[in-house]
Amino acid sequence: SSSISIVDQIEPILDEIKNSYVSINVGEQQSAVERLHSELTTSSSLSGYHNVNNRHVRLSTLLDKLLQLSHNHPSFISIIRHPQLTHLLAKWLKSEALPHGYTNQQFKKAIIPKCARLLYAAYQGEHTWPIEFVTAYCWDLTYDGLWTHHIDCVPFARRIRAVLC
């Protein structure tokens, strides 16, 4: 199955990123951030992923594995709080700057709620959240409703809504 081979490809990449990020070396941490950003944004241009559905499966699997890591290695999830990654995922919450081929509504419905869950996992214990979350919430509530109404994103949406009330 292609999703098994995708998992087999993603797990060592995320292990490398995790090991670099949890080191005390700032240079390695920044390299980990840049590598994860690259993995998220270039998944649509990797060789062997010419089929849009395969690219979707790869990005979806990558987000799933990041969510899994957030539960198994809580210190690693702070990588998502890096401004470069937070900004990227917050833009995706507004359906902006999605990788090529992800503008299809079906793909957005699968990918965008995972981004919201990942951001919630990263920020749930933080007292200060980026204002981008409020603008993304208002945008999604007004237009797509892909994550503000999604059952798995209720805690994230509720926390943002509390800021507005």
Side-chain angles (χ1 to χ4, degrees):
S1 161
S2 65
S3 66
I4 291 173
S5 66
I6 290 171
V7 169
D8 290 342
Q9 292 171 12
I10 288 173
E11 284 183 339
I13 291 168
L14 285 179
D15 279 345
E16 285 177 30
I17 291 170
K18 178 179 62 90
N19 291 337
S20 294
Y21 189 73
V22 298
S23 80
I24 58 171
N25 182 307
V26 175
E28 283 188 40
Q29 290 176 340
Q30 184 59 35
S31 292
V33 168
E34 290 168 7
R35 174 89 188 269
L36 182 54
H37 187 275
S38 175
E39 289 295 327
L40 288 167
T41 57
T42 62
S43 60
S44 63
S45 62
L46 294 172
S47 63
Y49 294 95
H50 303 296
N51 179 309
V52 171
N53 199 38
N54 289 344
R55 294 184 304 222
H56 163 74
V57 169
R58 187 181 190 289
L59 181 58
S60 184
T61 302
L62 179 59
L63 292 169
D64 286 339
K65 288 295 175 184
L66 284 168
L67 283 163
Q68 186 179 12
L69 271 174
S70 76
H71 297 295
N72 298 339
H73 302 280
S75 62
F76 175 69
I77 196 61
S78 65
I79 194 172
I80 300 301
R81 290 193 301 267
H82 187 281
Q84 185 177 6
L85 296 172
T86 293
H87 181 69
L88 173 69
L89 294 172
K91 283 172 55 172
W92 286 3
L93 291 181
K94 297 185 290 183
S95 298
E96 289 179 8
L98 290 167
H100 178 70
Y102 289 89
T103 54
N104 176 301
Q105 199 70 5
Q106 174 189 350
F107 294 151
K108 288 183 352 181
K109 283 181 182 178
I111 298 298
I112 292 175
K114 290 178 185 187
C115 295
R117 290 175 50 215
L118 192 55
L119 286 167
Y120 182 69
Y123 280 92
Q124 66 183 348
E126 299 297 304
H127 295 292
T128 305
W129 284 21
I131 192 70
E132 290 173 288
F133 294 175
V134 174
T135 57
Y137 174 85
C138 293
W139 191 95
D140 191 65
L141 201 58
T142 305
Y143 297 102
D144 291 340
L146 293 174
W147 63 272
T148 52
H149 300 299
H150 193 282
I151 190 71
D152 293 335
C153 303
V154 167
F156 188 53
R158 186 180 295 138
R159 180 93 182 258
I160 295 167
R161 193 170 46 249
V163 171
L164 299 172
C165 298

